[in-house]
Amino acid sequence: MGVEGALVEDHAVEGAKNSGPEISPQRPWYRPDARTGWALAVVLVPALLLGVAAFRRRWIGDDGLIFVRVSQQILDGNGPNFNVGERAEAATSTLWPWLLALVGGATGIDLVAVAVYGSLGCAVVGLALASAGTRRLYRDLPGGGWPLPAGALVIAALPPFWDFATSGLEMGLIFVWLGTSWCLLVRLDRNTSFRRQAWTSFALGMGVLVRPDLALGTIVFAVAAWLLLRPTRKRLAVLAACGGLLPVLYQLFRMGYYGVLLPNTAIAKEGTKTDVGRGWTYFEDYASPYNIWAPLLLTVVAVGLLATVGRSVGDFERYRIRVLTGTALVAGTVLLGYVIVVGGDFMHARLLLPGTFAFLLPVLVLPLQRLYAGTAAALAVWSLVCAAAMRVPYQGFGPKNIEDTRTWYTAWTGESNPVTAASYRAAFVKRLEGVGREWQADRATPGAQFVYLTYYHEPDKFWMLNFDFRSAPLKYHVPVTDSVVYGALGQPAVLVPTSGLAIDIFGLANPLGAHLDLDYRTRSGHDKLTYIEWILADFTRPGTPLDLRNVDPAKVEAARRALNCGEIRELQEATREPMSLSRFWKNFTGSVKRNSMRIPTNPIDAEKKYCH
């Protein structure tokens, strides 16, 4: 049932309760009255405003292009990997690349367009669903039939929501999951059919496949479902199985296919380690420009007022309101807190948006009642000011290498709405002349080549590339076409077809780089920098003449030896050997040990550790 149908159904039930037995409880869906039309507008208008604002700022970023490449590899028969011949889970979201591949493969629409506009559509639907759920939660309160737009306007007004509603990332899918979970929770009670209970459990369990850190939200929502249902132990076990079936099956697949417990990106980013100081800087970078404390505090005030609901509704409805409003605040706080604890992200506000969305769930709409009207008005005023005047105070890089990512890439491509792979392909070759020169030369060279450059490996010179592009014959265990080494991963991915390699220096799509030690903190999510000597040792044959400008020959030779020693060699075999039942079993049984394996960053130290 759509949002409109749900609203009309809700009003029909409400009318039946309040109007006596002479009024039929069934109201035709095509004859909504004024209250139903108003409620529908309150639910849909903020979502549509978000859609319009996001469409005006539509774009795809470098990280979105990573998802596109993984999806293209799936369609090309190379599996859910970034590069052919190497099993590495480079997409943090499990579901998003598969959905892109499904839609793109079925329709023939360009995957970049699917990523941009699919995420936009998901964001609009997610906010509408969540608002419909909140409206339903308060439908029996005085004034509940005439809801006021409140927190939904906050989401529609925040510029980071505009930016990441597209971008090619999984943010829109996150909003759909939050909105769907909220809608299903609002409908739960002890009379709910088992089928609906099972589907609710299934939906809640999908959070970890949307994005791993949403497992925290799943746990909080699952506790709320238990409080509302109070199932027997047997029923609880069945519901837990419904929710955990797909996540558990996928985890078993991950352990056997990739040979580790976590996505490659989580290992590279050391997502289980803490850096609260950097995380708090990341939160302040979001909170200060938009005075985000104001809507968050107003949400707490509104929830406090809602907790005082009197005898205007039944005991269970009061209980439901208190449970779910508290659940949303806890879920939002946990999701925001996790991002702070692990050190934040490099994209301005990006990882804080799911927590903000969850925190605002109880106040997306509020009943038309004097008790809540002041809060709704204050949120509306803040939203108007935010949409009109509040912006991130820098362009490009800010504190702690936090980046206004959309501004950076619109400047990089020279387009106000870069929404095609061609935009990035042209910009990549045009702005990095060495890549263009070497790439053109390599196309005429027999055999696969790879273009590479050197860079600094020091904390105070992070992201300082020498741009000294040169090329060398490529050694790889399967036939490939010409390839490129570069820092940003999505841009070379649109230059290099799936038959070639886009070689990663930050370990996000490179198992060897992901398993390096974390020597120091630089830019969140990009702290591990793989020495170019590792890459030359891995992708060239011994004795190959190399241009060794800014390269240490001793480290290249040490890396060659280390790659053939002990656990490093086993890691290479786990990710590059052809998949078979025996390989799957070896990966599966070794996944725990392999997941925690860390290699010294310096190849000379790695050789000492693993070869002696």
Side-chain angles (χ1 to χ4, degrees), residues 60-71 82 112 115 167-169 420-421 424-425 489-494:
I60 189 168
D62 185 272
D63 284 52
L65 294 171
I66 296 174
F67 280 101
V68 169
R69 182 174 177 88
V70 174
S71 301
F82 189 77
V112 174
S167 85
L169 295 169
T420 65
Y424 282 91
R425 188 182 301 115
L489 196 52
Q491 295 174 77
V494 300

Side-chain angles (χ1 to χ4, degrees), residues 28 47 67 79 114 142 244 272 310 312 369 482 539 582:
F67 280 101
V114 175
T272 58
S312 57
Q369 192 180 141
D482 290 351
F539 293 100
S582 61

Side-chain angles (χ1 to χ4, degrees), residues 238-528:
V238 174
L239 293 177
C242 292
L245 180 61
L246 275 186
V248 169
L249 288 177
Y250 183 78
Q251 182 61 27
L252 297 177
F253 167 80
R254 173 184 283 147
M255 294 165 68
Y257 185 76
Y258 296 111
V260 287
L261 301 178
L262 299 171
N264 200 72
T265 50
I267 297 172
K269 297 177 182 181
E270 297 290 359
T272 58
K273 293 188 176 181
T274 63
D275 191 347
V276 177
R278 183 165 68 170
W280 187 253
T281 298
Y282 182 67
F283 181 77
E284 286 187 326
D285 182 71
Y286 169 54
S288 296
Y290 313 110
N291 295 305
I292 200 68
W293 295 109
L296 296 184
L297 289 174
L298 286 169
T299 298
V300 174
V301 169
V303 168
L305 294 173
L306 288 162
T308 66
V309 170
R311 295 291 176 180
S312 57
V313 293
D315 291 342
F316 183 79
E317 289 304 317
R318 287 199 305 276
Y319 175 73
R320 188 208 306 270
I321 289 171
R322 289 167 183 169
V323 166
L324 291 181
T325 55
T327 293
L329 294 191
V330 171
T333 302
V334 167
L335 291 173
L336 291 170
Y338 171 78
V339 174
I340 293 171
V341 167
V342 299
D345 187 39
F346 74 97
M347 296 189 203
H348 168 73
R350 173 199 169 196
L351 291 188
L352 297 168
L353 301 184
T356 303
F357 192 105
F359 200 92
L360 292 169
L361 284 172
V363 298
L364 292 178
V365 302
L366 288 169
L368 178 57
Q369 192 180 141
R370 182 179 302 173
L371 190 62
Y372 316 115
T375 302
L379 288 170
V381 170
W382 179 92
S383 300
L384 182 62
V385 174
C386 177
M390 296 182 188
R391 297 293 184 271
V392 61
Y394 54 83
Q395 294 185 342
F397 286 93
K400 296 286 185 180
N401 285 308
I402 300 170
E403 178 185 271
D404 180 6
T405 311
R406 183 184 181 279
T407 299
W408 173 267
Y409 282 115
T410 54
W412 173 262
T413 59
E415 298 182 15
S416 58
N417 297 109
V419 291
T420 65
S423 300
Y424 282 91
R425 188 182 301 115
F428 187 72
V429 174
K430 178 181 178 181
R431 292 180 177 274
L432 303 178
E433 294 182 0
V435 167
R437 182 176 61 253
E438 293 290 338
W439 185 256
Q440 295 298 327
D442 286 346
R443 285 182 171 177
T445 303
Q449 303 279 310
F450 78 109
V451 178
Y452 66 97
L453 77 167
T454 60
Y455 37 85
Y456 290 90
H457 201 297
E458 301 172 29
D460 59 342
K461 294 182 179 180
F462 172 80
W463 200 250
M464 291 183 66
L465 309 179
N466 287 317
F467 299 106
D468 49 355
F469 293 99
R470 78 290 298 267
S471 61
L474 177 65
K475 175 208 76 174
Y476 200 54
H477 63 287
V478 297
V480 291
T481 55
D482 290 351
S483 306
V484 168
V485 177
Y486 190 62
L489 196 52
Q491 295 174 77
V494 300
L495 178 67
V496 179
T498 56
S499 58
L501 305 178
I503 302 171
D504 174 26
I505 68 175
F506 287 113
L508 300 173
N510 179 348
L512 175 68
H515 286 271
L516 295 176
D517 282 330
L518 177 61
D519 290 341
Y520 47 77
R521 294 285 192 180
T522 54
R523 187 189 194 197
S524 182
H526 297 73
D527 294 310
K528 294 183 180 181

Side-chain angles (χ1 to χ4, degrees), residues 27-360:
R27 181 180 295 277
W29 67 269
Y30 52 84
R31 291 176 53 194
D33 64 11
R35 281 193 296 180
T36 302
W38 170 255
L40 186 63
V42 167
V43 164
L44 292 181
V45 168
L48 294 174
L49 289 174
L50 172 63
V52 170
F55 180 80
R56 289 169 60 88
R57 294 175 64 85
R58 64 196 181 279
W59 68 300
I60 189 168
D62 185 272
D63 284 52
L65 294 171
I66 296 174
F67 280 101
V68 169
R69 182 174 177 88
V70 174
S71 301
Q72 189 62 58
Q73 293 282 21
I74 293 171
L75 292 176
D76 289 349
N78 297 324
N81 305 302
F82 189 77
N83 281 321
V84 62
E86 185 168 63
R87 293 180 293 277
E89 192 175 5
T92 304
S93 171
T94 298
L95 278 179
W96 189 234
W98 285 99
L99 289 175
L100 297 183
L102 177 64
V103 175
T107 64
I109 299 174
D110 179 69
L111 288 175
V112 174
V114 175
V116 171
Y117 299 108
S119 180
L120 174 59
C122 285
V124 172
V125 170
L127 182 54
L129 283 172
S131 297
T134 305
R135 186 264 171 186
R136 182 184 177 92
L137 181 62
Y138 305 139
R139 64 177 180 173
D140 291 331
L141 293 181
W146 295 91
L148 296 172
L153 294 175
V154 173
I155 292 172
L158 273 166
F161 278 92
W162 306 345
D163 289 352
F164 290 104
T166 57
S167 85
L169 295 169
E170 74 280 8
M171 195 61 68
L173 186 62
I174 292 175
F175 297 158
V176 164
W177 179 76
L178 287 169
T180 301
S181 299
W182 181 246
C183 263
L184 291 170
L185 284 173
V186 165
R187 290 172 172 261
L188 284 186
D189 59 41
R190 295 174 193 176
N191 295 320
T192 301
S193 68
F194 172 72
R195 177 178 294 184
R196 177 165 285 175
Q197 292 179 32
W199 278 113
T200 300
S201 297
F202 178 82
L204 297 184
M206 294 297 286
V208 70
L209 299 181
V210 174
R211 186 175 170 87
D213 43 311
L214 290 181
L216 299 170
T218 292
I219 293 170
V220 176
F221 287 161
V223 171
W226 179 82
L227 289 171
L228 293 173
L229 294 173
R230 296 298 177 96
T232 64
R233 290 183 181 180
K234 182 178 179 180
R235 175 65 61 87
L236 179 61
V238 174
L239 293 177
C242 292
L245 180 61
L246 275 186
V248 169
L249 288 177
Y250 183 78
Q251 182 61 27
L252 297 177
F253 167 80
R254 173 184 283 147
M255 294 165 68
Y257 185 76
Y258 296 111
V260 287
L261 301 178
L262 299 171
N264 200 72
T265 50
I267 297 172
K269 297 177 182 181
E270 297 290 359
T272 58
K273 293 188 176 181
T274 63
D275 191 347
V276 177
R278 183 165 68 170
W280 187 253
T281 298
Y282 182 67
F283 181 77
E284 286 187 326
D285 182 71
Y286 169 54
S288 296
Y290 313 110
N291 295 305
I292 200 68
W293 295 109
L296 296 184
L297 289 174
L298 286 169
T299 298
V300 174
V301 169
V303 168
L305 294 173
L306 288 162
T308 66
V309 170
R311 295 291 176 180
S312 57
V313 293
D315 291 342
F316 183 79
E317 289 304 317
R318 287 199 305 276
Y319 175 73
R320 188 208 306 270
I321 289 171
R322 289 167 183 169
V323 166
L324 291 181
T325 55
T327 293
L329 294 191
V330 171
T333 302
V334 167
L335 291 173
L336 291 170
Y338 171 78
V339 174
I340 293 171
V341 167
V342 299
D345 187 39
F346 74 97
M347 296 189 203
H348 168 73
R350 173 199 169 196
L351 291 188
L352 297 168
L353 301 184
T356 303
F357 192 105
F359 200 92
L360 292 169

